[in-house]
Each structure stands twice: as structure tokens, then as C-alpha cells.
Amino acid sequence: DAGVIQSPRHEVTEMGQEVTLRCKPISGHDYLFWYRQTMMRGLELLIYFNNNVPIDDSGMPEDRFSAKMPNASFSTLKIQPSEPRDSAVYFCASRSSRDRSSYEQYFGPGTRLTVT
Amino acid sequence: SQQGEEDPQALSIQEGENATMNCSYKTSINNLQWYRQNSGRGLVHLILIRSNEREKHSGRLRVTLDTSKKSSSLLITASRAADTASYFCATDKGNDMRFGAGTRLTVKP
């Protein structure tokens, strides 16, 4: 398996623009997580899905952020409008509910977002 | 919000030495996991210890958990330059996993 795939790897945009980050989880994984990593706040859980349904979005910073999972193999995280303080590395991770021995989450390589 | 707090924030040692990183957390947990992150990469799972376990080993890794003190430690024995990375503890109650700020480990050859 190719692992969790994220695109783009780098995104530079201007304040006010819409940004869409994409994630393809590992095939067969039924949980998908979106995280944001910054120097100031560390790694924060934004939202997670189970079987394509959002379960907990309490970590989403504000209404400018939205996430969707239209099917088991694709999820998006959208920021509209973007602001400089959204600059961070955004990670997608997935796991399988059948793995009850390790509860391991598999992380993608991340998308480094810079908003100028 | 972060749950775990790692200590120290940064650690620099010589190859062959042991590295110990500590993690403290605030609320009750189901499991505690340790992850590693190489610069510019995603996190990679290292080991999980359940709340009813006290110690666990995996290769050169040794993890301890003290639920009474709400703390855990990760020991890497006989460190190698390739162990240079950031190490994070993560506490979970099911799928709600909270990461600490991490310890930046540098192993000098």
C-alpha cells in the first residue's frame, strides 16, 4: 500500500484565497483524522471521520474551516478565506477499527501551507 | 489542546548513549502512544502502552507508564545518529488522541 497520500505537499497562497487540502487514506481504514502542526500550538486534532461521517469537529478553529469525506478513499480540508495565521503543516492520518492491538494512526507526509 | 507534556524539550547526546524522554498528562487515559517525527515528515507510530500496563519493550525502546503520577517515559538504548528526530507522546481515550509538544532528540555521531 502507498500509505496515506496528501496533496499538495506545499501550498503558498495569498490572504483571502480559498485553500483545499486533499487526503487519500489507506485502503480499508475506516477512520480519518485531520491535524494541524505549528511551533506555537504543536499538533492539534481538527476533526475526525468514521465511515465517512464526521464524529468530532470540536478542534476546527472557526467557520472558515470545513472538512468533507464524500467517500471512503477521499477527504478534503478547506479554508475559506485563508489568513496568515493558518500557516502550518496539515496532516491527515487514518486507522482501522479492526486494529485493536495498537490503535496506531498512519500519518501522511503533510501539506505545508503558507498564507502571505 | 495538548494533553501530554514532554520533558525535556530538547536533548542532545552522543551515539551509543541512552536517551530518556518523559511525558506527563492530565486526565485519565485508555492508552499512551509514542510517535517519532523526522524533519519534514509525518509521524510514525513507535509503541503503545495500555493503562493497565506498567512497562513495555520493543527492540531498543522501553516505555514505562505510571498512571498514579500520570506520567510515562521512553528510553532509547544504544542510540544511533539515525534516531535523531522529534518524539511525541499521545494520550487517547478511543479516537480522541492528544499529542504533547514533543522532545527534539539529536544524536551526535
Side-chain angles (χ1 to χ4, degrees), chain B residues 63-109:
Chain B
V63 172
T64 62
L65 179 64
D66 187 334
T67 52
S68 66
K69 295 181 179 178
K70 291 186 170 59
S71 67
S72 172
S73 68
L74 171 67
L75 169 67
I76 303 175
T77 60
S79 64
R80 306 165 182 168
D83 295 328
T84 294
S86 292
Y87 292 82
F88 296 86
C89 69
T91 55
D92 79 74
K93 296 196 74 171
N95 285 297
D96 186 5
M97 198 153 75
R98 306 287 170 168
F99 286 84
T103 292
R104 175 69 190 169
L105 173 66
T106 302
V107 181
K108 301 175 185 176

Side-chain angles (χ1 to χ4, degrees), chain A residues 20-93:
Chain A
T20 299
L21 311 181
R22 298 172 176 79
C23 175
K24 176 179 169 53
I26 292 173
S27 177
H29 283 190
D30 49 348
Y31 282 91
L32 183 139
F33 306 82
W34 282 101
Y35 292 90
R36 177 173 69 175
Q37 187 177 37
T38 62
M39 289 295 292
M40 291 296 295
R41 300 178 65 87
L43 196 63
E44 303 171 278
L45 175 65
L46 300 178
I47 184 172
Y48 77 89
F49 296 82
N50 178 220
N51 292 322
N52 314 337
V53 176
I55 303 300
D56 184 351
D57 65 354
S58 60
M60 296 285 263
E62 45 197 277
D63 293 344
R64 297 185 297 106
F65 286 69
S66 62
K68 294 181 179 180
M69 192 164 186
N71 57 62
S73 59
F74 184 65
S75 177
T76 60
L77 178 67
K78 185 176 294 186
I79 308 172
Q80 166 64 18
S82 58
E83 297 181 2
R85 60 193 168 118
D86 301 330
S87 296
V89 181
Y90 291 81
F91 289 101
C92 176

Side-chain angles (χ1 to χ4, degrees), chain B residues 8-24:
Chain B
Q9 291 186 347
L11 180 62
S12 182
I13 59 175
Q14 293 294 135
E15 207 165 27
E17 294 179 340
N18 295 341
T20 299
M21 290 160 271
N22 302 298
C23 168
S24 61

Side-chain angles (χ1 to χ4, degrees), chain B residues 29-84:
Chain B
I29 61 171
N30 291 353
N31 309 295
L32 188 142
Q33 305 185 40
W34 284 90
Y35 283 77
R36 164 192 169 131
Q37 183 179 33
N38 285 65
S39 182
R41 303 284 187 90
L43 280 72
V44 176
H45 181 262
L46 293 177
I47 194 167
L48 173 147
I49 186 165
R50 299 182 187 279
S51 59
N52 62 355
E53 297 177 314
R54 292 296 166 259
E55 188 171 313
K56 202 163 184 179
H57 297 256
S58 177
R60 293 185 296 113
L61 305 180
R62 173 178 169 253
V63 172
T64 62
L65 179 64
D66 187 334
T67 52
S68 66
K69 295 181 179 178
K70 291 186 170 59
S71 67
S72 172
S73 68
L74 171 67
L75 169 67
I76 303 175
T77 60
S79 64
R80 306 165 182 168
D83 295 328
T84 294

